[in-house]
């Protein structure tokens, strides 16, 4: 590795933004570094060397004695430094940030794993989260689109993006792979959704999972061992905790609350249920001063990417007044109506 590449490697290892990119933990940093890499293809080897150092080695606790660790460390560092005709490096010294220090430490940790029986964790898990009120549009490595609602999370192995774990709410447009007929799985606390290529909505809020199919067909494997086949326009709800399942056709009479890429979709939905969606997406608490307001019914779409606009639309639709005080939303009758 040239001195210029060594210098770049040191810069990357100490750059918090690059660390976020390597750990896939901040979308802005991911976008920035993806763009930087595309403009600097000659640096790709150095970039992925830095990423490997940041993400490649992790350890669980072990009972290996501290004395043995120090002994093995001294031996490894001594051998490395002897080969390179350098002086003995102390691990306790943090002043030097040259690349040889990183390589030595990485090699020493690897020896510990071999000598002490330490479990080596080469985790390749990718985690994407949204904050309260945040909505992000993701493109998975296989070409599948995922729109992740506020206060939600997906996880998958970077080597298999067609097996997703979901907490919260998301809308999937699965890319079919006809040549291999590769399945796509979405796993929640209640069930697994099995598909080849289709569009569907999954909501894991409130101790149950709701699945609504828009296009194609899907196969559900419930956690109680039962299975369900779905066709477009059907909705299945299942709670592992209560072991209760419903499977029904979506009709104008069926009450439901859904989410569509920035819009709440309500059909004969009570105001209590509407506000529950707001609570979960924005991390707020709702209080009804006039309890009879809870039973008011809403049908139609309400934008949900801006809290102020969302609440204003609810007020106009229900003839209510909503006041935000800190982390609380207080609802009462609008005296002007």
């Amino acid at each position: 590795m040239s001195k210029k590449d060594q210098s770049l490697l040191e810069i990357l290892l100490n750059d918090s933004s690059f660390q976020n990119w390597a750990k896939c933990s901040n979308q802005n940093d991911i976008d920035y570094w993806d763009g930087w890499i595309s403009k600097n293809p000659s640096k790709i080897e150095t970039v992925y060397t830095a990423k490997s150092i940041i993400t490649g080695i992790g350890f669980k606790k072990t009972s290996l004695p501290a004395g043995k660790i120090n002994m093995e460390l001294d031996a490894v560092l001594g051998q490395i430094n002897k080969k390179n005709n350098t002086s003995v490096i102390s691990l306790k010294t943090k002043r030097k940030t040259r690349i040889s220090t990183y390589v030595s430490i990485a090699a020493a940790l690897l020896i510990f794993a071999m000598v002490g029986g330490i479990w080596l964790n080469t985790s390749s898990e990718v985690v994407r989260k949204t904050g309260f009120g945040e909505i992000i549009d993701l493109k998975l490595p296989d070409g599948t689109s995922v729109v992740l609602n506020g206060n939600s999370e997906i996880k998958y192995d970077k080597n298999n993006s067609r097996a997703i774990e979901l907490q919260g709410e998301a809308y999937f447009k699965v890319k079919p792979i006809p040549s291999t007929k590769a399945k796509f799985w979405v796993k929640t606390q209640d069930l697994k959704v099995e598909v080849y290529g289709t569009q569907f909505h999954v909501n894991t809020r409130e101790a149950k999972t709701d699945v609504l199919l828009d296009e194609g067909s899907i196969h559900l494997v419930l956690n109680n061992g039962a299975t369900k086949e779905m066709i477009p326009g059907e909705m299945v709800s299942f709670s592992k905790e209560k072991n209760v399942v419903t499977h029904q056709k979506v009709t104008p009479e069926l009450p439901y609350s859904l989410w569509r890429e920035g819009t709440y979709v309500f059909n004969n939905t009570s105001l209590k249920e509407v506000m529950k969606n707001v609570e979960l997406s924005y991390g707020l608490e709702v209080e009804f001063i006039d309890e009879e307001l809870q039973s008011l019914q809403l049908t139609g779409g309400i934008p949900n990417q801006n809290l102020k606009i969302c609440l204003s639309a609810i007020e106009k639709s229900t003839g209510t007044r909503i006041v935000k005080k800190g982390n609380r939303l207080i609802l009462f009758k609008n005296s002007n109506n």
Side-chain angles (χ1 to χ4, degrees):
M1 182 178 287
S2 67
K3 289 184 178 180
K4 182 179 292 186
D5 287 339
Q6 286 187 359
S7 177
L8 174 61
L9 184 57
E10 292 180 15
I11 292 171
L12 295 177
L13 290 171
N14 289 283
D15 189 302
S16 60
S17 173
F18 180 82
Q19 292 170 14
N20 288 338
W21 173 84
K23 298 175 183 177
C24 298
S25 61
N26 183 291
Q27 186 59 45
N28 290 333
D29 292 330
I30 292 170
D31 292 342
Y32 171 80
W33 285 104
D34 283 348
W36 188 91
I37 292 169
S38 68
K39 296 176 182 177
N40 298 272
S42 63
K43 306 299 181 184
I44 191 72
E45 183 177 350
T46 305
V47 166
Y48 279 93
T49 297
K51 181 179 180 180
S52 297
I53 293 174
I54 292 171
T55 64
I57 299 178
F59 295 91
K60 288 185 177 180
K61 292 183 178 180
T62 114
S63 58
L64 195 65
K68 188 169 182 63
I69 291 177
N70 291 331
M71 181 178 68
E72 296 296 336
L73 176 62
D74 290 340
V76 172
L77 293 181
Q79 298 229 355
I80 293 172
N81 291 325
K82 184 177 180 181
K83 288 181 180 180
N84 292 294
N85 296 317
T86 59
S87 60
V88 175
I89 302 173
S90 171
L91 229 188
K92 298 179 181 179
T93 302
K94 296 183 179 179
R95 295 176 183 175
K96 295 183 179 181
T97 58
R98 297 179 58 84
I99 187 59
S100 58
T101 304
Y102 291 109
V103 175
S104 299
I105 293 173
L109 290 174
L110 187 58
I111 291 297
F112 293 161
M114 297 168 61
V115 174
I118 302 175
W119 181 80
L120 184 63
N121 174 23
T122 55
S123 174
S124 59
E125 185 179 71
V126 177
V127 180
R128 301 302 306 272
K129 297 180 180 180
T130 53
F132 292 120
E134 179 186 17
I135 296 174
I136 59 175
D137 195 340
L138 307 172
K139 182 73 75 173
L140 301 184
D142 73 321
T144 291
S145 295
V146 182
V147 184
L148 198 60
N149 201 2
N151 188 27
S152 301
E153 173 185 300
I154 60 170
K155 297 179 182 179
Y156 61 91
D157 190 289
K158 68 180 180 181
N159 298 315
N160 182 18
S161 64
R162 291 181 75 85
I164 301 291
E165 291 185 28
L166 170 68
Q167 290 183 338
E169 196 167 14
Y171 189 75
F172 295 86
K173 294 182 180 179
V174 177
K175 182 177 179 62
I177 306 179
S179 60
T180 61
K181 295 185 178 179
K183 295 180 181 179
F184 188 98
W185 295 88
V186 178
K187 183 179 180 182
T188 76
Q189 75 272 17
D190 301 298
L191 53 81
K192 290 193 293 184
V193 184
E194 175 189 345
V195 301
Y196 289 100
T198 187
Q199 298 183 27
F200 59 99
H201 172 277
V202 183
N203 183 352
T204 72
R205 306 191 193 278
E206 299 189 84
K208 64 183 177 72
T209 296
D210 297 331
V211 181
L212 186 140
L213 179 60
D214 277 348
E215 181 181 301
S217 62
I218 57 180
H219 176 81
L220 303 182
V221 181
L222 310 185
N223 277 8
N224 64 2
T227 61
K228 293 285 183 182
E229 303 291 337
M230 295 182 64
I231 61 175
E234 289 186 339
M235 182 165 63
V236 170
S237 296
F238 177 67
S239 169
K240 177 182 68 174
E241 182 179 322
K242 298 179 181 179
N243 196 27
V244 174
V245 59
T246 61
H247 186 171
Q248 51 198 323
K249 187 77 175 176
V250 174
T251 66
E253 293 75 31
L254 177 67
Y256 62 79
S257 301
L258 295 173
W259 165 77
R260 286 286 189 281
E261 304 182 19
T263 302
Y264 288 124
V265 179
F266 301 116
N267 189 70
N268 292 324
T269 308
S270 69
L271 184 55
K272 180 180 180 180
E273 181 69 18
V274 170
M275 297 310 297
K276 178 62 67 174
N277 280 270
V278 176
E279 277 187 325
L280 294 170
S281 292
Y282 287 92
L284 301 170
E285 297 179 6
V286 172
E287 177 184 349
F288 284 88
I289 299 298
D290 301 300
E291 292 191 4
E292 62 268 28
L293 296 177
Q294 296 183 23
S295 61
L296 290 176
Q297 303 292 305
L298 273 79
T299 296
I302 292 176
N304 70 342
Q305 290 184 285
N306 180 291
L307 179 60
K308 186 175 181 180
I309 295 175
C310 175
L311 296 181
S312 176
I314 293 173
E315 287 179 326
K316 292 178 180 178
S317 300
T318 59
T320 58
R321 180 78 189 283
I322 305 175
V323 176
K324 186 176 184 297
K325 289 189 176 181
N327 202 45
R328 295 166 59 225
L329 296 175
I330 303 172
L331 282 78
F332 49 89
K333 293 178 181 178
N334 190 338
S335 59
N336 296 324
N337 293 333

